[in-house]
Amino acid sequence: MAKKKSAKLKARLPRGFVDRGPAELLAMDRMLKVIKETYELYGFEPVETPQFEYTDALGKFLPDQDRPNAGVFSLQDDDEQWMSLRYDLTAPLARHVAENFDHLPKPYRSYRAGYVFRNEKPGPGRFRQFMQFDADTIGAPSVSADAEICMMASDTMERLGIARGDYIIRVNNRKVLDGVMEVIGLAGDEHAERRLTVLRAVDKLDRLGVQGVRLLLGEGRKDESGDFTKGAGLDEKAADVVLAFVEAGADTASGTIDNLRKLIADSAVGAEGVEELATMAALFDASGYSDGRVLIDPSVVRGLEYYTGPVYEAELTFEVKDEKGNPVRFGSVGGGGRYDGLVSRFMSQPVPSTGFSVGVSRLMAALKVLGKLGDEQIVGPVVVCVMDRDTESLAHYMRMVQELRDAGIRAEMFQGNPKQFGKQLQYADKRNSPCAIIQGSQERETGEVQIKDLIEGKRLSEEIEDNKTWRESRPAQFAVKTENLVEEVLKLLKSQEEDRQKERES
């Protein structure tokens, strides 16, 4: 009886996750380096927290079922405690600060980069794992700390190569939002759901315009597909107040603040938020950032869960074309705000905190569109070909590789099957190697080694159509003395880099 073949395991990527190749990873490293240097310029220092936290410590997604997996990826440890993959970098920082509070300097200024995870439905450009880069100041009650982070966000955009005018840091205050809710009669825990609906409607202003938001503030809105979104149920007068709030922006910060003062004069918490915005505006002006880089903007709504004061968003303002060729904006690439209640969940005292988070993947996509990261190919290692397979020859090739590495040149000896020489050159081509080193027994006897310039070889191969001409010309291959190998390879690499630079500039 014939043996039944076992089914092979199918290689498949989990939904909402993505593999990343060397070009993307190296581009990301370059970008993260600039962000890191900017944060450090402002006095922030690195810290790392684990990817797993106890689920109840995350704060936003508390276990309310047998398996707390709504929004987060969770598992139960062997001591029956629930752990979850972090969904942002702020909640783990709050736990870290609370646990080490007595030993940390106050204010505590830290930055960290890492992947976060969301157990949500994936979609185009929406992944379940993505990277954030945060900076936070813990223990600073003054909004000067918030103003400083907004200025740092602006500097970060410019140091990454985003021109002034192509981005803006928009600033609002959660207390002002709460004041508006108070004015229209939606203060108190019993109105939490409706407040959330109102704020979500305001957040759609850019996309739906004033009339679309008005519908969502009222009974609801039917979109082009016929789907109906239930509204907040506000009457016309209350909707007018909310819309007056989001349209309170003026040509100057002082004009915007005057409009807000009039709008929420009857709310103590709202008035407090307006005065905080006035202080921040004065600091932006004194530091030279009120030139269009940072803007007081009442339409900014973010952080509905735990922000308690100023909120800010880094938005890219230049347009790109979508799949249909229509102009669209990149929009938000980062944001943050004050979250005075998050650390104090673990403490018996209030701990004022504020922070900013960069959405790394989205910002990377924008930088590629602007040509700031580039799509140039990764330059691979120099490949030393294996012409003879005896131990003495292998040792000789390995020594050659080591000499190149000692000079700081990326290099490797071909480790595949060396029987077919052509396969070795094909491998080097696939690695985008700058050159291949070739030395058979004949070259070794004469004390020479062949260097094959693979970059130039590709270029010439496009120009030479005749095989005979190709063989006779031996394009981009030359012999050097073995003792001059390192020196000649360094010269070649320098020449290739100069060519690439000219190409980039043109």
Side-chain angles (χ1 to χ4, degrees):
M1 183 182 288
K3 272 191 175 180
K4 187 179 178 182
K5 278 190 176 180
S6 59
K8 285 188 177 178
L9 184 65
K10 184 180 179 182
R12 62 206 189 278
L13 189 69
R15 284 192 317 123
F17 294 85
V18 65
D19 293 326
R20 294 179 173 87
E24 183 178 354
L25 291 174
L26 289 172
M28 183 186 293
D29 284 346
R30 289 199 297 274
M31 189 180 94
L32 295 180
K33 183 174 181 286
V34 173
I35 300 172
K36 171 180 172 290
E37 288 170 352
T38 309
Y39 287 2
E40 288 181 350
L41 190 66
Y42 275 73
F44 291 86
E45 294 182 339
V47 69
E48 182 178 271
T49 60
Q51 295 186 357
F52 269 99
E53 295 281 342
Y54 284 119
T55 304
D56 59 359
L58 290 177
K60 182 180 174 186
F61 301 105
L62 298 178
D64 55 1
Q65 301 173 0
D66 291 338
R67 180 172 177 77
N69 60 357
V72 294
F73 293 98
S74 302
L75 58 85
Q76 200 167 21
D77 203 357
D78 54 11
D79 60 0
E80 297 187 353
Q81 293 198 62
W82 282 101
M83 300 192 304
S84 298
L85 284 170
R86 63 193 180 194
Y87 64 85
D88 72 2
L89 298 178
T90 309
L93 177 69
R95 188 270 312 153
H96 170 77
V97 170
E99 200 168 9
N100 300 279
F101 195 77
D102 293 338
H103 309 294
L104 295 173
K106 264 76 75 180
Y108 175 57
R109 296 158 70 83
S110 72
Y111 70 80
R112 64 227 149 273
Y115 285 107
V116 298
F117 304 85
R118 306 279 171 93
N119 189 1
E120 298 170 348
K121 185 178 179 180
R126 185 181 180 88
F127 300 107
R128 288 171 162 176
Q129 174 187 321
F130 54 94
M131 180 170 281
Q132 292 181 335
F133 201 146
D134 289 17
D136 295 76
T137 300
I138 310 290
S142 169
V143 292
S144 62
D146 302 271
E148 181 186 53
I149 283 184
C150 292
M151 292 186 279
M152 184 177 73
S154 170
D155 288 355
T156 299
M157 297 298 114
E158 294 195 9
R159 287 166 73 95
L160 285 167
I162 300 172
R164 203 166 295 183
D166 280 344
Y167 76 91
I168 194 164
I169 311 300
R170 301 185 185 276
V171 185
N172 198 4
N173 194 302
R174 176 63 192 268
K175 292 175 184 175
V176 180
L177 292 167
D178 289 343
V180 172
M181 296 300 110
E182 198 173 277
V183 168
I184 64 174
L186 290 186
D189 292 343
E190 67 274 19
H191 296 298
E193 193 72 29
R194 287 184 74 194
R195 280 201 304 274
L196 194 61
T197 305
V198 169
L199 294 175
R200 282 175 177 157
V202 170
D203 200 29
K204 293 181 173 64
L205 181 67
D206 281 350
R207 186 162 58 86
L208 301 181
V210 173
Q211 189 53 37
V213 171
R214 181 178 286 280
L215 291 171
L216 289 175
L217 292 173
E219 294 306 310
R221 175 182 176 272
K222 184 182 288 188
D223 65 20
E224 294 171 357
S225 69
D227 287 343
F228 182 78
T229 302
K230 187 179 177 184
L234 300 185
D235 60 32
E236 195 167 324
K237 184 179 177 183
D240 285 342
V241 171
V242 174
L243 288 170
F245 160 70
V246 298
E247 294 183 295
D251 292 337
T252 63
S254 58
T256 301
I257 287 162
D258 285 344
N259 290 342
L260 291 174
R261 281 195 181 111
K262 294 171 190 171
L263 190 65
I264 53 175
D266 296 333
S267 168
V269 67
E272 185 181 335
V274 172
E275 294 316 308
E276 288 180 354
L277 286 176
T279 299
M280 292 178 72
L283 296 175
F284 297 143
D285 192 46
S287 302
Y289 286 79
S290 56
D291 57 356
R293 284 181 280 175
V294 183
L295 177 71
I296 305 298
D297 184 352
S299 69
V300 174
V301 178
R302 66 171 290 115
L304 304 179
E305 274 75 22
Y306 54 63
Y307 288 125
T308 58
V311 290
Y312 24 89
E313 199 150 40
E315 181 184 325
L316 301 186
T317 56
F318 63 89
E319 290 185 342
V320 295
K321 303 285 186 184
D322 64 12
E323 308 83 38
K324 296 179 181 177
N326 300 317
V328 293
R329 283 188 175 186
F330 255 99
S332 176
V333 291
R338 178 163 287 273
Y339 51 95
D340 288 351
L342 197 58
V343 180
S344 59
R345 290 177 59 242
F346 303 95
M347 311 281 291
S348 57
Q349 64 189 83
V351 184
S353 312
T354 187
F356 176 74
S357 178
V358 171
V360 172
S361 298
R362 190 166 180 78
L363 185 52
M364 267 188 67
L367 291 173
K368 283 181 179 177
V369 167
L370 289 173
K372 301 301 179 182
L373 283 181
D375 294 319
E376 66 269 16
Q377 285 184 303
I378 303 300
V379 178
V382 172
V383 173
V384 175
C385 297
V386 175
M387 310 301 290
D388 301 303
R389 286 172 283 163
D390 59 278
T391 302
E392 184 182 345
S393 296
L394 290 174
H396 179 74
Y397 296 137
M398 191 62 82
R399 188 162 58 249
M400 212 182 289
V401 169
Q402 196 56 48
E403 287 173 3
L404 292 167
R405 290 173 181 160
D406 288 344
I409 300 168
R410 288 184 70 204
E412 64 176 72
M413 184 175 83
F414 182 72
Q415 296 290 357
N417 187 342
K419 285 183 179 179
Q420 291 179 291
F421 174 62
K423 295 285 186 186
Q424 299 191 48
L425 294 182
Q426 285 175 17
Y427 169 80
D429 272 337
K430 281 188 177 178
R431 294 295 308 275
N432 200 37
S433 299
C435 63
I437 308 303
I438 305 163
Q439 189 188 58
S441 53
Q442 188 176 337
E443 285 92 356
R444 204 177 316 162
E445 284 175 13
T446 59
E448 290 187 337
V449 60
Q450 296 280 339
I451 299 177
K452 188 173 184 65
D453 182 343
L454 297 171
I455 306 299
E456 183 68 3
K458 282 179 193 173
R459 187 186 69 78
L460 290 173
S461 69
E462 293 168 2
E463 298 175 2
I464 299 173
E465 298 177 2
D466 182 89
N467 278 342
K468 183 173 181 291
T469 308
W470 173 266
R471 285 194 302 273
E472 288 173 353
S473 64
R474 300 188 71 192
Q477 185 166 316
F478 55 95
V480 301
K481 289 293 182 184
T482 305
E483 61 267 25
N484 296 334
L485 173 64
V486 171
E487 180 187 347
E488 294 298 328
V489 170
L490 284 170
K491 278 185 194 173
L492 178 61
L493 296 180
K494 183 181 178 185
S495 173
Q496 289 176 347
E497 178 53 37
E498 287 171 353
D499 289 344
R500 280 192 294 273
Q501 186 60 36
K502 286 176 188 172
E503 229 174 89
R504 285 193 290 265
E505 289 171 357
S506 63

